[in-house]
Amino acid sequence: MTSGRPLIRAGRARLRLALPRYRDKLPSAHRLAFQSLCRVYEVDELRKEVPCREELLAEFEDLCRSIEAAAVAMLEGKTSDRWF
């Protein structure tokens, strides 16, 4: 079983592109909850499917926006019971 480090790195890189305002903070965010967000953010197999399942892709895009919002909140030092 792998540690998920490659997914975390890839997710962190995608978040750096999606959240340019926070690019400098992203490399130093190492909380387990933040790493989990990065791992989930990278799993984007729905974008690669042929034929595209648009309803699932739209739901996935909503999830990505939610992850981005949670990442921003964490980077700004906010807390939530939803983050483990």
Side-chain angles (χ1 to χ4, degrees):
M1 178 181 269
T2 62
S3 68
R5 293 270 179 225
L7 286 176
I8 293 168
R9 278 194 295 270
R12 191 182 302 269
R14 283 189 60 219
L15 279 170
R16 288 182 77 181
L17 292 172
L19 305 171
R21 180 175 171 195
Y22 296 92
R23 282 187 185 144
D24 294 339
K25 288 185 174 186
L26 280 161
S28 61
H30 295 290
R31 287 180 45 199
L32 184 58
F34 191 83
Q35 290 180 355
S36 293
L37 284 179
C38 291
R39 187 180 310 112
V40 172
Y41 194 73
E42 176 50 25
V43 180
D44 67 348
E45 294 300 314
L46 288 173
R47 289 187 179 122
K48 300 173 188 172
E49 281 188 352
V50 176
C52 178
R53 294 185 287 174
E54 295 197 25
E55 69 285 347
L56 289 177
L57 185 56
E59 186 177 328
F60 177 74
E61 292 295 335
D62 288 342
L63 176 62
C64 285
R65 300 303 76 78
S66 176
I67 290 171
E68 291 166 7
V72 167
M74 285 182 190
L75 292 168
E76 291 180 348
K78 298 175 183 162
T79 59
S80 170
D81 292 337
R82 294 179 58 194
W83 307 330
F84 41 93

